[in-house]
Amino acid sequence: MTAKLLILDDDHDILLMLKTIFAGEEYELLLESDSEGALKRIIADRPNVAIMDISLPQKSGIEVLKEAKKIDPGLAVIMATGYKTTQNAIEAMKHGAFDYVTKPFDMNKLKGAVKKALECNLLSRKVRYTKERAQVEEDLTEDLMIGSSPEMIEIWKMVGTVADSDATVLIQGESGTGKELLARAIYNNSRRKNRPFLAVNCAALPEALLESELFGHEKGAFTDAHSRRIGKFEQCNGGTIFLDEIGEMSPTNQGKFLRVLENQEFERVGGNETIKVDVRVIAATNRSLLNCVKEKSFRMDLFYRLRVVNFFLPPLKDRAEDIPLLVDLFVKKFSKKYGKNVKGVAPETMALLTNHQFEGNIRELKNVINSAVVFCRGDILVPGDFESFLTAKAGFKEVDLEAAGDDYYEVFWSMLEPVFDGICQKNKGAIYESVNMGLEKALIHMAMEKSNNNQVFAAKLLGISRNTLRDRLEKYRIGMVAEA
């Protein structure tokens, strides 16, 4: 029996091209240019494989895909698009597409995809007819992570495949590559999207505070624990928790966390009551957890329990074709934020950005665009708007803290160098006092935020006495501070 290949595209030139390409492949070709005709073909002819364009005049290709899968769940559908957007790939895979390809087609890859789709169809085909229609929910407003490079397309396909499961996810990648944004993309496309999403940075909190942050504590569990506190796992019941820099978690907390992964239960600090929860875990790290396991700083059983689904986010330098998309996104974002009318970047500016080695990845690019939009005077960003940021020794780059030493000289040099002249002009002889006060105030304020305004934890984090902390809080007038 000859396999049937349905091709749906409103571009007649593409239909003709694909007809020519597949004419010698021993398929019975079914060519359609409108969605209703394609759906009728699926009912009448029961094709094995379908290639569908996402952008169609009457209804979206995603909507056709959903209706097609209701008619024949066994139909292997390959979605095709010339518009390389994140959400398209996620939605396609989420609603049962076999594969997702971009135009212009790589014909050898397309033929290979059709062949694999046919094999899948012949192995698992189950026919079912239905007249139910589905509504497509497309809301791209939350989709801040974009990319159309081959590496990112594979990631979006994987997101669409695993989002609706409750499988634990591990995201690996360099700092600044967008690990939290990927976690949010998984969450936003899951069935838990209407439940809480909470993010915790495991590297930002000392061991005792992280334990309390995750699992909560009972009244009297430690000094100044004046009342019961509900932890993030309890707050997140039914939802998704994102644990960033999981490799920094202490061995003690790793053991308690492993129990949550295995049994979805824990006790608050200082408590005996077993708390049961239903929480999906997404963890991320910029370190090699495998090396941490070898160094015995990370539990092997926890490592394998975490990587049920494993994503690796490539650095920006390995997907330079995504830079124009990101630049366009950030220009629009910051132009709106600062009430400006910046319409885009000049061609020579885009060439400058595309060829730049963004060691800080997407975070560095975002900071560079942010600063350029702030200082630009026209409606188009020109190379001159970027010179001070891109040529600075390390102005907006991620800093290797291990290589920086214990005095953080390199860290602060890299921060101050791009703005030092401006500080000199503004303060005129009071630089030392102004910079030191600013740094101390920032440290105190940041420590209080990281410690949830708990003075005991903040003082321990800073390595100063509580009296000294209180003195600085009063000196810098940092908010109304909770005592516990």
Side-chain angles (χ1 to χ4, degrees):
M1 182 178 176
T2 304
K4 297 177 182 178
L5 172 61
L6 169 66
I7 302 175
L8 170 60
D9 201 302
D10 62 325
D11 188 326
H12 289 276
D13 290 335
I14 290 180
L15 283 178
L16 183 61
M17 177 187 69
L18 293 179
K19 179 182 179 181
T20 304
I21 293 296
F22 287 103
E25 296 291 325
E26 298 184 352
Y27 297 117
E28 180 182 341
L29 298 179
L30 310 173
L31 306 180
E32 292 292 338
S33 59
D34 70 271
S35 55
E36 292 303 327
L39 292 171
K40 288 177 182 178
R41 282 278 199 174
I42 294 169
I43 294 172
D45 297 308
R46 295 171 53 193
N48 302 85
V49 180
I51 302 173
M52 296 183 182
D53 188 28
I54 281 183
S55 180
L56 296 168
Q58 287 84 19
K59 60 180 69 175
S60 75
I62 298 293
E63 191 171 358
V64 178
L65 167 66
K66 292 174 74 173
E67 293 189 32
K69 294 297 283 186
K70 282 185 173 291
I71 295 169
D72 182 0
L75 177 64
V77 181
I78 299 170
M79 301 302 295
T81 183
Y83 300 96
K84 304 172 182 178
T85 64
T86 299
Q87 197 63 26
N88 278 346
I90 294 175
E91 287 293 318
M93 303 308 290
K94 181 179 176 182
H95 293 296
F98 178 82
D99 207 342
Y100 177 90
V101 297
T102 57
K103 300 175 182 177
F105 296 122
D106 179 322
M107 291 306 172
N108 288 330
K109 287 185 178 179
L110 183 60
K111 285 182 178 180
V114 170
K115 183 178 179 181
K116 289 180 181 178
L118 177 60
E119 291 172 354
C120 177
N121 172 267
L122 294 176
L123 285 171
S124 63
R125 184 165 189 164
K126 295 177 182 178
V127 181
R128 183 180 66 184
Y129 296 100
T130 179
K131 294 182 179 179
E132 296 178 13
R133 297 181 58 120
Q135 297 295 320
V136 177
E137 296 181 9
E138 291 184 328
D139 184 3
L140 306 183
T141 58
E142 296 294 326
D143 186 15
L144 297 180
M145 188 173 193
I146 60 176
S148 62
S149 60
E151 296 87 352
M152 292 308 295
I153 292 297
E154 290 304 312
I155 285 174
W156 303 138
K157 286 159 59 176
M158 192 170 168
V159 169
T161 302
V162 306
D164 264 344
S165 75
D166 287 329
T168 304
V169 175
L170 177 63
I171 303 172
Q172 301 182 78
E174 294 179 6
S175 183
T177 49
K179 295 187 287 294
E180 182 170 348
L181 291 178
L182 178 55
R184 288 185 180 275
I186 296 169
Y187 161 75
N188 286 332
N189 287 276
S190 74
R191 57 173 170 260
R192 294 175 181 257
K193 64 182 178 182
N194 294 319
R195 304 293 296 164
F197 177 94
L198 298 177
V200 179
N201 188 326
C202 299
L205 301 170
E207 179 180 351
L209 181 55
L210 179 61
E211 184 180 15
S212 174
E213 183 79 1
L214 293 178
F215 308 114
H217 64 250
E218 297 289 352
K219 180 179 178 180
F222 48 81
T223 305
D224 275 10
H226 298 308
S227 61
R228 170 185 285 178
R229 183 171 187 275
I230 303 301
K232 288 291 191 289
F233 273 105
E234 217 167 332
Q235 295 173 38
C236 203
N237 192 24
T240 302
I241 192 167
F242 172 62
L243 301 178
D244 199 8
E245 304 306 342
I246 191 71
E248 305 301 323
M249 186 178 282
S250 70
T252 301
N253 284 338
Q254 286 177 36
K256 198 163 184 178
F257 174 46
L258 178 61
R259 184 185 172 196
V260 178
L261 283 181
E262 291 178 338
N263 304 318
Q264 293 277 297
E265 60 183 35
F266 60 91
E267 288 88 33
R268 300 187 192 100
V269 178
N272 296 316
E273 179 189 359
T274 298
I275 312 295
K276 282 194 166 291
V277 291
D278 172 23
V279 176
R280 185 187 194 175
V281 174
I282 303 176
T285 180
N286 60 8
R287 301 177 62 185
S288 167
L289 288 188
L290 194 56
N291 287 340
C292 293
V293 169
K294 292 177 181 177
E295 295 166 2
K296 301 192 182 304
S297 62
F298 200 83
R299 296 178 59 134
M300 181 181 293
D301 49 0
L302 178 56
F303 170 66
Y304 287 112
R305 186 66 183 79
L306 275 175
R307 56 175 299 183
V308 176
V309 176
N310 190 30
F311 285 87
F312 176 76
L313 272 176
L316 190 55
K317 68 178 185 293
D318 290 347
R319 50 186 183 100
E321 56 263 63
D322 287 337
I323 291 178
L325 293 172
L326 292 162
V327 169
D328 181 62
L329 173 70
F330 294 141
V331 167
K332 289 177 181 176
K333 177 184 177 69
F334 293 118
S335 179
K336 181 179 180 180
K337 178 179 179 179
Y338 299 119
K340 295 199 169 188
N341 188 33
V342 182
K343 299 175 181 176
V345 301
E348 56 270 28
T349 305
M350 188 63 77
L352 177 70
L353 293 169
T354 304
N355 292 321
H356 183 72
Q357 293 291 308
F358 286 99
E359 296 177 16
N361 296 297
I362 297 173
R363 185 180 295 129
E364 182 188 353
L365 174 62
K366 181 179 179 180
N367 286 336
V368 167
I369 299 295
N370 187 1
S371 300
V373 170
V374 168
F375 290 109
C376 79
R377 297 180 180 179
D379 59 359
I380 296 293
L381 297 180
V382 297
D385 294 320
F386 292 86
E387 285 181 4
S388 60
F389 313 118
L390 296 183
T391 59
K393 183 177 180 182
F396 288 90
K397 295 178 180 178
E398 293 292 311
V399 179
D400 185 347
L401 291 178
E402 292 185 7
D406 294 331
D407 62 1
Y408 300 111
Y409 167 82
E410 292 291 343
V411 175
F412 295 122
W413 178 280
S414 70
M415 292 177 181
L416 285 170
E417 187 181 39
V419 295
F420 190 71
D421 290 343
I423 293 175
C424 292
Q425 292 172 12
K426 183 177 179 180
N427 291 276
K428 296 180 180 178
I431 299 171
Y432 182 83
E433 183 179 356
S434 298
V435 171
N436 271 303
M437 286 181 64
L439 176 60
E440 185 177 50
K441 182 178 179 180
L443 278 172
I444 297 295
H445 197 175
M446 194 171 295
M448 289 298 293
E449 284 196 352
K450 296 295 183 184
S451 304
N452 291 316
N453 289 332
N454 186 304
Q455 291 183 11
V456 174
F457 283 130
K460 288 180 179 178
L461 181 63
L462 291 164
I464 61 177
S465 71
R466 192 172 177 185
N467 287 336
T468 301
L469 175 63
R470 283 174 168 164
D471 176 69
R472 298 302 188 273
L473 292 172
E474 184 177 347
K475 176 181 178 180
Y476 297 120
R477 298 181 180 179
I478 299 176
M480 294 299 294
V481 184
E483 290 291 323

